[in-house]
Amino acid sequence: MSSLHTMGQQQDRRSWAEPYKIKVVEPLRTTTREEREAAIADAGYNTFLLPSKDVYIDLLTDSGTNAMSDRQWAGMMLGDEAYAGSGNYYRLEDTIRRFYGYRHVVPTHQGRGAENLLSQSLISPGHHVPGNMYFTTTRFHQEKAGATFHDIIVDEAHDPTLDAPFKGNVDLAKLAALIDEVGAERIPYVCVAATVNMAGGQPISMANMRAVRELTQRHGIAIYLDATRAVENALFIREREEGYGSTSLADILLEFCSYSDGCTMSGKKDPLTNIGGWLATNDEALFEEARNLVVVYEGLHTYGGMAGRDMEAMAIGITESVELAYMKSRVGQVRYLGELLDQWGIPFVRPVGGHGIFLDARGFYPHLDQEQFPAQTLAAQLYLEAGVRAMERGIVSAGRDAATGENHHPSLELVRLTIPRRVYTQAHMDVVAESVKACYDDREAARGLRMTYEPKYLRFFQARFEPLG
């Protein structure tokens, strides 16, 4: 009896496995501490400037770093590279209509190309664009077009220790107050992100999305999604929101998108490709403007900066992305890393998000002032420890106030450990977790950085630093 009881307990704790097997491998190079010290110094203590050959486990981003499936690679051989009217474009268009529900599609080379088209088409100087927390390139395009960005995310999103199910939700009171303050006519659209990146990959609920739609409809304001990780968001809705526990991801995604007028998409995330994106809309006037502008900024409106083979791979990737077993394994690997860190008391954003673990650099280095770039410091230390490349998401990424020139001081000072899709194994996550723990154990020795070079735009990509003290 006891033996059977024990067996039952073990079955309750049985692990899941990735719903795929490995067919092709890419060798990884390990380096010595001395080699990493030289590499990070040459890179100005900016992980973006490290050559990939010097990186062991690359968690800089999940953008374009996906492993494509055998079906996608087979689809690449069906690339129609006609300059105009590629058959792959029409297959991509049909797939987006089927899974996302929008009528019109303008392809772009990646997500920020779509952000540029949307901003150029809808924003005029003096406009205001509210959103559930900023994203770097999105806010840049909005501000460059003349708008002021307003953060309308719920307050819970700014507390990394709070374990709440939908920290990506829009605060309806904040949105209503902004409409009353500036007038609906000066708000071209509300920008809503699914699984909010800068908040730690936190989802927005279906109920909140529906409520945002009801509020904006009363004022004639459009909603445009950043749908980059909307399928990940659909999984959280399925798991956490009443009434969706047995609904397919495809059906959840379609309903979620129905509460918006269109979206920008980086095909380098959910759609499982290495390049590409799109702007989708139900607005005829915007579609006409955008497909005219895309010729200026990207390429003809039937390829928009992508090869035909990339559009084919993306259409297949969209279909694969809504498979429940795949998405459970994708988010499950992120959760596995979070569980390892949690057992050691490592400070990171709770709950675990969809695409990565966001380490709380303030929790690591409470002795460092934010102007000493604690998150940038932690990213550099993690690379020095084990060759693991991560990304700063704090004061460096936040940039400067356009009017005053002073640094923005975000409440969250984070290092993002972003998990590429279908690339690494659980053993890699073990190595990452142990490396993070080593940095945490040595946290009192950190002295911070000073910035020695600051680019004019999106400084986190190319800024350079040197150690203090």
Side-chain angles (χ1 to χ4, degrees):
M1 189 70 177
S2 175
S3 175
L4 288 173
H5 179 66
T6 302
M7 186 180 297
Q9 287 181 326
Q10 289 174 341
Q11 288 177 342
D12 289 342
R13 296 196 301 271
R14 288 182 66 175
S15 299
W16 54 269
E18 291 82 357
Y20 52 83
K21 61 183 179 181
I22 295 169
K23 185 178 290 188
V24 178
V25 297
E26 177 184 348
L28 296 176
R29 172 175 174 259
T30 57
T31 55
T32 65
R33 174 81 182 202
E34 290 74 21
E35 288 173 326
R36 294 194 295 274
E37 286 174 350
I40 197 67
D42 287 344
Y45 295 84
N46 186 343
T47 53
F48 275 98
L49 301 180
L50 287 166
S52 64
K53 69 178 179 63
D54 294 329
V55 176
Y56 176 41
I57 299 176
D58 200 344
L59 306 185
L60 185 76
T61 182
D62 63 333
S63 179
T65 56
N66 311 300
M68 293 202 300
S69 70
D70 53 357
R71 289 176 290 177
Q72 287 179 289
W73 281 109
M76 295 279 278
M77 300 307 295
L78 300 176
D80 174 5
E81 307 307 339
Y83 185 87
S86 166
N88 307 117
Y89 165 75
Y90 296 110
R91 278 192 286 278
L92 176 62
E93 181 184 54
D94 287 345
T95 305
I96 293 169
R97 285 173 174 169
R98 180 155 50 101
F99 287 101
Y100 289 83
Y102 304 115
R103 289 195 297 271
H104 305 298
V105 177
V106 181
T108 60
H109 75 285
Q110 62 184 61
R112 71 193 60 167
E115 293 169 353
N116 180 48
L117 293 180
L118 182 64
S119 299
Q120 292 285 339
S121 299
L122 293 186
I123 293 174
S124 298
H127 276 169
H128 299 262
V129 179
N132 55 340
M133 198 172 280
Y134 81 99
F135 183 68
T136 51
T137 59
T138 311
R139 188 178 70 183
F140 173 82
H141 286 299
Q142 292 165 354
E143 292 178 344
K144 194 170 189 298
T148 300
F149 172 80
H150 298 266
D151 186 359
I152 55 166
I153 202 167
V154 292
D155 290 341
E156 291 88 342
H158 297 285
D159 182 354
T161 66
L162 183 65
D163 196 341
F166 292 106
K167 292 169 74 172
N169 279 355
V170 169
D171 187 315
L172 298 173
K174 291 179 183 178
L175 176 56
L178 180 66
I179 295 171
D180 289 343
E181 178 186 349
V182 304
E185 69 282 356
R186 297 176 66 194
I187 300 177
Y189 61 93
V190 177
C191 183
V192 178
T195 56
V196 181
N197 194 345
M198 303 298 281
Q202 301 299 314
I204 176 173
S205 72
M206 190 75 81
N208 185 252
M209 190 66 192
R210 194 180 300 117
V212 174
R213 182 60 158 182
E214 291 170 356
L215 174 58
T216 56
Q217 275 188 327
R218 293 200 297 270
H219 297 276
I221 300 172
I223 298 174
Y224 278 86
L225 285 175
D226 176 349
T228 292
R229 300 181 182 88
V231 187
E232 292 176 11
N233 200 103
L235 179 67
F236 287 114
I237 289 173
R238 190 179 196 273
E239 292 178 341
R240 299 176 182 177
E241 195 160 357
E242 186 177 355
Y244 292 94
S246 59
T247 308
S248 70
L249 296 185
D251 286 344
I252 294 171
L253 177 66
L254 200 59
E255 181 186 348
F256 190 82
C257 292
S258 74
Y259 301 124
S260 68
D261 298 277
C263 77
T264 58
M265 170 61 80
S266 170
K268 301 163 71 175
K269 282 87 167 179
D270 270 353
L272 292 164
T273 53
N274 304 127
I275 198 67
W278 73 76
L279 170 63
T281 183
N282 293 326
D283 184 330
E284 293 279 352
L286 172 61
F287 174 59
E288 287 301 322
E289 177 70 9
R291 77 168 179 168
N292 189 202
L293 280 177
V294 77
V295 179
V296 177
Y297 290 110
E298 304 271 340
L300 199 66
H301 62 278
T302 54
Y303 76 89
M306 278 188 285
R309 55 185 174 269
D310 295 319
M311 290 189 283
E312 187 69 27
M314 191 182 299
I316 296 168
I318 291 169
T319 304
E320 294 178 354
S321 72
V322 297
E323 294 171 0
L324 182 60
Y326 154 69
M327 190 52 71
K328 279 186 172 181
S329 75
R330 189 280 185 282
V331 177
Q333 191 173 56
V334 181
R335 287 172 173 159
Y336 175 77
L337 176 57
E339 289 165 3
L340 294 175
L341 299 178
D342 189 52
Q343 70 183 356
W344 294 317
I346 306 294
F348 62 88
V349 174
R350 314 302 173 98
V352 172
H355 65 291
I357 298 296
F358 289 66
L359 303 175
D360 181 6
R362 293 181 191 270
F364 272 72
Y365 305 138
H367 59 287
L368 295 184
D369 185 87
Q370 197 170 21
E371 295 277 349
Q372 295 172 311
F373 309 117
Q376 193 75 39
T377 301
L378 178 53
Q381 288 302 122
L382 186 58
Y383 173 75
L384 283 170
E385 177 59 38
V388 175
R389 174 156 65 171
M391 179 196 293
E392 185 270 0
R393 278 297 182 232
I395 188 173
V396 181
S397 294
R400 295 184 181 275
D401 184 281
T404 67
E406 295 297 316
N407 283 322
H408 289 296
H409 289 85
S411 55
L412 297 175
E413 184 74 15
L414 308 175
V415 170
R416 191 180 76 179
L417 306 173
T418 335
I419 314 301
R421 296 163 184 83
R422 305 189 295 205
V423 171
Y424 292 116
T425 67
Q426 305 273 73
H428 289 108
M429 297 301 101
D430 293 335
V431 172
V432 171
E434 291 163 7
S435 304
V436 172
K437 183 180 184 300
C439 291
Y440 189 62
D441 291 343
D442 194 39
R443 59 192 180 277
E444 293 181 4
R447 293 292 175 264
L449 299 168
R450 69 167 60 91
M451 191 181 297
T452 61
Y453 168 68
E454 182 176 357
K456 185 176 181 182
Y457 302 122
L458 298 172
R459 64 185 185 182
F460 63 95
F461 284 126
Q462 296 170 332
R464 299 182 70 87
F465 306 84
E466 66 181 13
L468 289 167

